[in-house]
Amino acid sequence: MNIAVLPTESRIALYVLGLLVIAVLFSFVWILLFIIKYAKHVRTEDEKLPLFADVAYFYEKGKRERQEDSVYISSLDKYTTNGILACVSDGMGGLKYGKEISKSIVDDLDKIFPFPFNDVENTVSKITRISTEIFRRYGRRGGATLALVHIFKDRMHIYSVGDSNIILVRNDRATVLNQKQNYYNILVKDLANCGLTTEEAYLNKKSRALTDFMGNVNTRVMNTNVPFNLLPGDTIIICSDGVTDAIPYDKLPIYVGLNAKRTADEIKLNIRQKNLSKQDNYSCIVVKLDRYNF
Amino acid sequence: MIESYSFCHSGGLEAYLDKVYVSYGIETYVTIVNGMNDVDSCARVSKAILNVFDSKAENADFKSVSAEISKKVKSTDEYLLVSIDDSRIITEQHGDVKGYLIRDGSIVRITNGLINLHNEDRIIFATGRFLDKLSEEMILIDALTSLSAEEWMDFLVCRISEINMLSGNNRSAVTLIVRNTEDIKLV
């Protein structure tokens, strides 16, 4: 069509229409670019959000005469500034004062918290001092384990003495994070260094005995020197061996649910249903981490 | 300074067919030969490595060492050649011998080539048979909680032992920690 032959009014109308179409197209592209930029911004901000912790616990006596475990969870009110401290202490069976010692450990932790997340050396010496003080009071007539995690933003420090468990469940797979301080590990090391296989280490049930515990002098605290990076969806299970004796640690992912309470309830219910004749005290803290606020 | 610890275990088998060599000098060379698949291959690679290391000049660069070794081995041979000092690591992996770098609470798989190193970086190289029972989370947490290269190795060995009592296969690994020499004080 030759525009030149059209009347002036029609030509003007066509030009205006053309300009309008260009303006609409330009606006459309601009809006599209804005949406893409905004979506990217939202995603980046989301990644910057610290991991929120959803926490639940249980604390059960099992078939023992008395409860010798103790549990401590710091207040979540100051989670953003102090992080969260969660600890299970298991009084050593067969020795006097297991209950008193595990309780005094969590009481002392409550007194010293909050402490700076990155001051690992100082935290270790505080834990060692707690252990030495227990030794001074009870003189090896009792002791307890310590499984402690300090989570701050996306990072976690672990502190462990004895053989309680700190378990990470990630992508439906469980990993015991802390090395146990028992004779198994010493025997395994010796046998391996001699070039032997390690069946012998597992034949003697006494190998489960602890080589270090809270209540010993110069206790070696097994701790992370650099924090462990956590991911959204991670679940941390801190528990006494009463839990892992009833449910092998690698089966724990089956019980991990949408939130911490459901996970803790499932684990507790399963142990209760097993009704094992020698069920030890079983205590557990479940920390479920994700980017959104529960 | 590079702190290192080697683990060589036959797994209850008659022969230990892998080989681990650590050669200290201006830079530390680590070589692991995965020998379980092929005894001849293991002998060939070991001989090549020993020849090259015996004859190489003290300041021979990685490229020339690697080229010398590769002239004497077959393309199917499984081995790892690493040159490491305080500031960098150069890696060449052939076959089922892997490495991981642990830095700032995270673990990454080491690929062939050069990586700059920082103080307290932790590195593990091992045959697939050593690593097949270990998850990345296990390797990472043991690196973060151990005080030395030897203790890190002990922790890993305990984990493998819990699963298979160290039986059935040759297992070989080397753990390395970069230690800033400024941190070492003799009083």
Side-chain angles (χ1 to χ4, degrees):
Chain A
M1 185 173 67
N2 189 354
I3 294 174
V5 297
L6 289 172
T8 316
E9 293 83 3
S10 304
R11 260 189 288 162
I12 291 168
L14 269 175
Y15 286 137
V16 170
L17 192 69
L19 282 171
L20 268 173
V21 169
I22 290 165
V24 166
L25 277 173
F26 183 77
S27 309
F28 179 73
V29 171
W30 187 81
I31 289 167
L32 201 70
L33 286 172
F34 178 79
I35 289 169
I36 291 168
K37 199 177 167 186
Y38 182 73
K40 267 188 189 168
H41 171 76
V42 167
R43 205 170 59 211
T44 320
E45 285 300 305
D46 192 39
E47 278 162 10
K48 275 185 209 161
L49 275 176
L51 286 170
F52 283 95
D54 174 29
V55 188
Y57 75 98
F58 60 81
Y59 173 72
E60 300 283 318
K61 203 163 68 122
K63 298 283 169 65
R64 291 285 176 94
E65 276 180 22
R66 56 183 199 155
Q67 173 63 280
E68 295 189 331
D69 292 352
S70 295
V71 166
Y72 171 75
I73 303 164
S74 66
S75 163
L76 286 173
D77 292 348
K78 291 185 178 166
Y79 176 69
T80 47
T81 49
N82 300 334
I84 180 175
L85 197 73
C87 163
V88 168
S89 178
D90 177 0
M92 283 162 70
L95 291 176
K96 266 185 175 180
Y97 309 118
K99 181 183 170 61
E100 289 82 348
I101 290 171
S102 72
K103 185 177 179 305
S104 84
I105 289 168
V106 297
D107 287 347
D108 287 347
L109 284 172
D110 186 34
K111 279 178 208 155
I112 63 171
F113 192 74
F115 42 72
F117 179 74
N118 284 319
D119 195 359
V120 176
E121 212 172 303
N122 221 344
T123 306
V124 168
S125 62
K126 281 173 182 166
I127 293 169
T128 312
R129 272 205 296 275
I130 293 173
S131 179
T132 307
E133 178 56 25
I134 293 166
F135 172 77
R136 204 185 56 74
R137 262 186 280 159
Y138 298 95
R140 284 211 188 98
R141 280 169 295 158
T145 67
L146 171 85
L148 171 72
V149 302
H150 188 185
I151 295 169
F152 183 64
K153 293 183 177 167
D154 294 10
R155 313 191 100 190
M156 174 174 71
H157 273 301
I158 67 169
Y159 302 89
S160 165
V161 180
D163 66 350
S164 289
N165 300 283
I166 301 169
I167 298 164
L168 166 75
V169 180
R170 178 179 285 176
N171 302 327
D172 293 327
R173 195 170 56 188
T175 306
V176 179
L177 296 180
N178 56 323
Q179 286 282 340
K180 306 291 167 58
Q181 290 167 310
N182 56 28
Y183 281 103
Y184 278 129
N185 286 358
I186 289 179
L187 287 172
V188 164
K189 184 184 162 189
D190 287 348
L191 291 164
N193 285 343
C194 293
L196 302 168
T197 55
T198 57
E199 292 89 344
E200 202 184 315
Y202 303 93
L203 292 175
N204 190 344
K205 291 252 166 162
K206 284 183 182 170
S207 301
R208 263 187 86 154
L210 297 181
T211 53
D212 215 339
F213 54 89
M214 294 295 285
N216 203 0
V217 195
N218 295 326
T219 297
R220 161 87 192 271
V221 180
M222 309 291 283
N223 63 285
T224 41
N225 298 302
V226 175
F228 184 90
N229 288 333
L230 294 165
L231 299 175
D234 280 353
T235 302
I236 308 295
I237 297 172
I238 307 124
C239 61
S240 57
D241 57 359
V243 172
T244 45
D245 286 348
I247 305 174
Y249 80 90
D250 55 342
K251 299 282 183 275
L252 284 171
I254 301 167
Y255 306 100
V256 172
L258 285 175
N259 59 46
K261 188 178 181 309
R262 189 173 289 182
T263 306
D265 285 348
E266 286 286 324
I267 295 170
K268 182 173 72 177
L269 194 67
N270 191 274
I271 297 173
R272 201 177 279 168
Q273 281 172 346
K274 284 194 171 175
N275 196 24
L276 298 175
S277 60
K278 288 183 179 173
Q279 179 61 54
D280 194 359
N281 302 149
Y282 55 109
S283 306
C284 178
I285 302 171
V286 177
V287 184
K288 201 154 173 38
L289 297 140
D290 228 320
R291 288 264 178 245
Y292 53 88
N293 195 340
F294 293 84
Chain B
M1 190 193 83
I2 301 297
E3 180 189 329
S4 75
Y5 189 78
S6 312
F7 179 76
C8 309
H9 197 272
S10 70
L13 303 178
E14 272 186 24
Y16 174 72
L17 300 171
D18 293 346
K19 292 281 177 280
V20 177
Y21 303 106
V22 181
S23 148
Y24 299 96
I26 298 164
E27 52 193 329
T28 302
Y29 273 91
V30 177
T31 47
I32 300 177
V33 184
N34 187 11
M36 263 205 85
N37 293 339
D38 183 351
V39 183
D40 296 336
S41 153
C42 176
R44 182 170 50 245
V45 179
S46 298
K47 195 177 162 192
I49 287 168
L50 290 175
N51 279 345
V52 171
F53 277 87
D54 279 347
S55 59
K56 85 175 172 67
E58 198 169 321
N59 56 355
D61 68 333
F62 182 85
K63 226 175 176 179
S64 62
V65 172
S66 160
E68 276 301 305
I69 292 173
S70 52
K71 268 186 225 166
K72 300 176 180 185
V73 299
K74 286 187 180 172
S75 60
T76 51
D77 291 337
E78 297 194 8
Y79 69 99
L80 163 103
L81 178 67
V82 172
S83 159
I84 181 170
D85 64 25
D86 290 4
S87 61
R88 61 101 183 99
I89 183 167
I90 310 172
T91 313
E92 195 184 297
Q93 297 158 84
H94 300 265
D96 195 17
V97 190
K98 290 180 244 176
Y100 289 96
L101 168 70
I102 285 88
R103 178 183 292 166
D104 295 334
S106 295
I107 181 168
V108 285
R109 176 89 186 270
I110 293 176
T111 51
N112 285 351
L114 185 143
I115 300 171
N116 289 323
L117 293 177
H118 305 155
N119 186 31
E120 281 300 319
D121 277 353
R122 290 171 185 235
I123 298 146
I124 181 168
F125 290 107
T127 57
R129 291 183 185 89
F130 182 94
L131 293 169
D132 63 2
K133 301 293 178 206
L134 298 171
S135 65
E136 289 190 3
E137 288 81 14
M138 290 172 181
I139 298 168
L140 171 62
I141 195 71
D142 286 346
L144 300 179
T145 51
S146 53
L147 299 176
S148 65
E150 179 179 356
E151 190 174 67
W152 182 17
M153 185 69 80
D154 288 341
F155 288 171
L156 295 171
V157 168
C158 283
R159 288 186 188 274
I160 300 169
S161 166
E162 267 181 38
I163 299 163
N164 57 23
M165 300 176 192
L166 300 183
S167 63
N169 277 317
N170 286 181
R171 289 182 182 84
S172 309
V174 177
T175 46
L176 304 150
I177 302 179
V178 181
R179 301 282 195 199
N180 193 331
T181 44
E182 285 166 22
D183 292 345
I184 299 168
K185 284 179 186 162
L186 298 172
V187 182

